[in-house]
Amino acid sequence: MYLRCGGIGMCMHFCPLCPGLERSCMKRKTQRWTASLPTLKAILKDARRLMCPCYKYGLLRNRIRKKSILCEALQHNLPPFTPPPHTEDSVYPMPRVIFRMFDYTDDPEGPVMPGSHSVERFVIEENLHCIIKSHWKERKTCAAQLVSYPGKNKIPLNYHIVEVIFAELFQLPAPPHIDVMYTTLLIELCKLQPGSLPQVLAQATEMLYMRLDTMNTTCVDRFINWFSHHLSNFQFRWSWEDWSDCLTQDPESPKPKFVREVLEKCMRLSYHQRILDIVPPTFSALCPANPTCIYKYGDESSNSLPGHSVALCLAVAFKSKATNDEIFSILKDVPNPNQDDDDDEGFSFNPLKIEVFVQTLLHLAAKSFSHSFSALAKFHEVFKTLAESDEGKLHVLRVMFEVWRNHPQMIAVLVDKMIRTQIVDCAAVANWIFSSELSRDFTRLFVWEILHSTIRKMNKHVLKIQKELEEAKEKLARQHKRRSDDDDRSSDRKDGALEEQIERLQEKVESAQSEQKNLFLVIFQRFIMILTEHLVRCETDGTSVLTPWYKNCIERLQQIFLQHHQIIQQYMVTLENLLFTAELDPHILAVFQQFCALQA
C-alpha cells in the first residue's frame, strides 16, 4: 500500500503502522513468507527515513514544497492494521522476487541509479509496472508513456525500463502478460530511442548471458524466446564472437545450450542457410541441422530392410490417391516381428506395419505443414487402427520422431495435431518424452514445449466438459424455477432429457479428470525414475550429483509444479501417498515439499 501511494502525505500518517509492521516481521515465521521479509524490512527502514524532516526525496520534492497545502487538506486517520490470522482455507499469492539487474556502476556517465534497497528504486519500479499494466495492450502508447516518465532527467530511465520489463518477463510461475508483448514493447522502445536504449538492451543481454550458469531454466527458456524473436526484427545482427567462450565448454553447459537453442529458434523465424550465414564458421557445431525429412526406405542401401517392398507399394498407392481400404489391404502382407504365428487379429500392435506406413506417408507429405495435416486427416482411420493399443501410440510417435529428427518445429506441430485428432493420447506423449529414444534430446527446449502444450490441452479439455456440465445444471435449475411458477406437464419430459444429458456429462467429467490425474502420475513417476537412476549412478561412481543434466531435470520438475500448480493441488494427497513418499531420495522429495510449502 505504501509503495503504490508513493506520496509524502502518506508518510504523515504512517507512524501508527510502523509498530504493526515490526510485529509482522517478528511473527511471520512460516516458510511461505520468508522471501517477503527482506522487502518488508527494507520498506520499514525507508518509511522511518521518510518521516525524518530533513529528508529530501528527489522525485517527490515538489510534494515536500506543498507540505503546507497538504497540511490544510482533509486529514485521513488510518486505523490500526492487524494482519489476518492463518486459516486452513487461506489462499496466498505466489512468492515474488525483487529483480535486480543493474547498479550505479553500470551507467557511470549518466545520472546515478538509486541503491538496490532504497525506496526511490521501489517507487520508480512500481510506477513503471503500473504504466505497463495500464497500457500493455497497445505497445506504442505503452512505450511512449515509459520514455516520458516524470523526472527522467534525474534517473537513468532506460536502465530502469529494461530492468522492469525483464523483471516481468522472468516472473515465476508466469509473467503478468503474454511473452510476445514484452518483445514488441522492447522493439518499440528501441525505435523511439535508437541512440540510447539499444545499447542498454545489449548490455542487459550480455549480463544475462554471463549469468546463465545460475539462471532458472524457465527463465532461460523465456530469454531464448525473447532474444531470438528480437534478433529476427533486427536482421539477426549480433556480435557472436563475444560469446566464443561457449565453444570450449561442455555442450550440455548452459551457455552453448543457450546459443544452440537461440539459433534453432531463429531458424524457425527464417531459414537454415540464413542462420549459417549470420554466425561465424567457428559456431558451426552449434548451428541447427538442416530440417529435412529422413526417409529410411529412400536409398539403395535400404533394399534389404524389412518392409521395403511394402513401402514401395504404399508410395505408389498414396500417389494414386488410394482409399483407406486399399491401404489396409497392402498392410496385411506386412509380417509382425513380435509374433511367430500369423496375426489372427489382423491389426493388433505390429511395429513394422506402423513403421512402413508412417515413414512412407510422412515422407510423401513432407512438403509443408498443410500437406502433413492433410495426410493425417485422409488416413485417420488407418492411424487409429494401427495405434489402437498403448504400444501402438508410442510407436507412432517414435517413428514420427525418426522421420523429423532434424525438424523440431515439425515434430511439435505433428504431435499437437495427433493429440487433437485423437491418434495418440496425452499419456502416450508423456511416456514418449521420457523414453530412451529421446534421452539425447531430453534437455532440449522443444521437448518441454511439447510436454507443457500436452498438459495444457488436457487441462482445457477437462475445463470444457466441466463448463458444459455446469451450464446443463443451470439450465435444469431454470426449468425447475419456471415449472414452479407455471404448471406445465411437458416440462417433465424436458427435465428427463436434460437429466440424462447431465448424467452423461458427469461421466465424461469423471473420465477426463481420471485421465488428467493419470497424466500427472505418469509425468511425476517418470521424473522420479530418471532422477533416481542418475543419483544411484553418481553414488556408485563416486561423482558429483550436480551435473548440468541434473540441474536441468530438477528445474524442469519444479517448472511442472509451478506452471500447473492450480491443477496439481487437486491431486496432492494422491501424489503424496503414491509417489512422493518418505522413502524417496531427499533431493527429489525436497521439490515436492517446497511446492507444498507454497500453500502452508
Side-chain angles (χ1 to χ4, degrees), residues 236-453:
F236 298 101
R237 289 177 297 183
W238 187 253
S239 53
W240 298 101
E241 293 83 358
D242 295 343
W243 290 356
S244 58
D245 60 320
C246 69
L247 301 175
T248 58
Q249 298 182 9
D250 180 359
E252 288 299 313
S253 297
K255 289 182 180 179
K257 282 189 68 65
F258 170 78
V259 174
R260 186 185 301 111
E261 295 288 357
V262 166
L263 293 177
E264 185 177 294
K265 286 283 187 174
C266 287
M267 186 178 67
R268 295 192 187 188
L269 302 169
S270 182
Y271 52 94
H272 183 253
Q273 188 57 45
R274 177 70 187 279
I275 303 305
L276 299 181
D277 294 339
I278 66 173
V279 297
T282 53
F283 280 73
S284 59
L286 300 179
C287 288
N290 192 13
T292 55
C293 171
I294 303 174
Y295 182 49
K296 65 185 297 182
Y297 301 108
D299 51 19
E300 296 179 357
S301 61
S302 64
N303 293 340
S304 59
L305 291 176
H308 179 267
S309 59
V310 179
L312 297 179
C313 294
L314 280 175
V316 173
F318 288 142
K319 291 177 181 178
S320 60
K321 300 181 179 180
T323 63
N324 286 329
D325 292 337
E326 292 172 336
I327 299 301
F328 282 133
S329 177
I330 296 173
L331 290 175
K332 283 183 179 179
D333 298 331
V334 179
N336 191 341
N338 293 335
Q339 290 181 345
D340 295 332
D341 302 325
D342 293 336
D343 184 7
D344 297 332
E345 296 181 3
F347 283 96
S348 63
F349 173 59
N350 185 334
L352 188 55
K353 278 182 182 179
I354 293 175
E355 193 161 346
V356 172
F357 171 73
V358 176
Q359 279 264 352
T360 307
L361 182 64
L362 293 183
H363 166 66
L364 293 176
K367 188 174 182 180
S368 67
F369 293 133
S370 299
H371 285 76
S372 298
F373 292 165
S374 298
L376 293 181
K378 183 174 182 180
F379 298 102
H380 182 262
E381 182 182 351
V382 181
F383 271 106
K384 290 284 288 183
T385 305
L386 294 178
E388 186 176 2
S389 63
D390 292 339
E391 296 90 346
K393 294 180 177 66
L394 196 58
H395 202 65
V396 166
L397 293 168
R398 289 195 190 108
V399 177
M400 180 272 300
F401 178 72
E402 291 175 4
V403 174
W404 287 113
R405 177 182 295 273
N406 294 331
H407 199 332
Q409 187 178 13
M410 180 65 83
I411 295 173
V413 297
L414 286 178
V415 171
D416 180 271
K417 193 68 174 179
M418 287 180 179
I419 293 174
R420 291 177 184 274
T421 55
Q422 299 180 356
I423 294 173
V424 299
D425 55 33
C426 296
V429 175
N431 279 310
W432 166 67
I433 285 175
F434 288 92
S435 64
S436 58
E437 289 81 7
L438 256 71
S439 59
R440 289 178 53 192
D441 301 286
F442 185 72
T443 59
R444 293 180 65 181
L445 176 56
F446 83 91
V447 172
W448 299 99
E449 288 177 336
I450 291 174
L451 183 59
H452 285 289
S453 174

Side-chain angles (χ1 to χ4, degrees), residues 427 430-431 434 517-527:
N431 279 310
F434 288 92
K517 182 196 293 186
N518 180 61
L519 174 61
F520 283 113
L521 287 173
V522 168
I523 292 172
F524 290 129
Q525 184 183 41
R526 300 306 294 268
F527 260 118

Side-chain angles (χ1 to χ4, degrees), residues 502-520:
I502 290 174
E503 290 180 3
R504 290 194 299 270
L505 287 173
Q506 187 67 49
E507 292 176 357
K508 284 186 177 181
V509 168
E510 293 174 358
S511 175
Q513 287 177 336
S514 177
E515 291 180 21
Q516 186 183 54
K517 182 196 293 186
N518 180 61
L519 174 61
F520 283 113

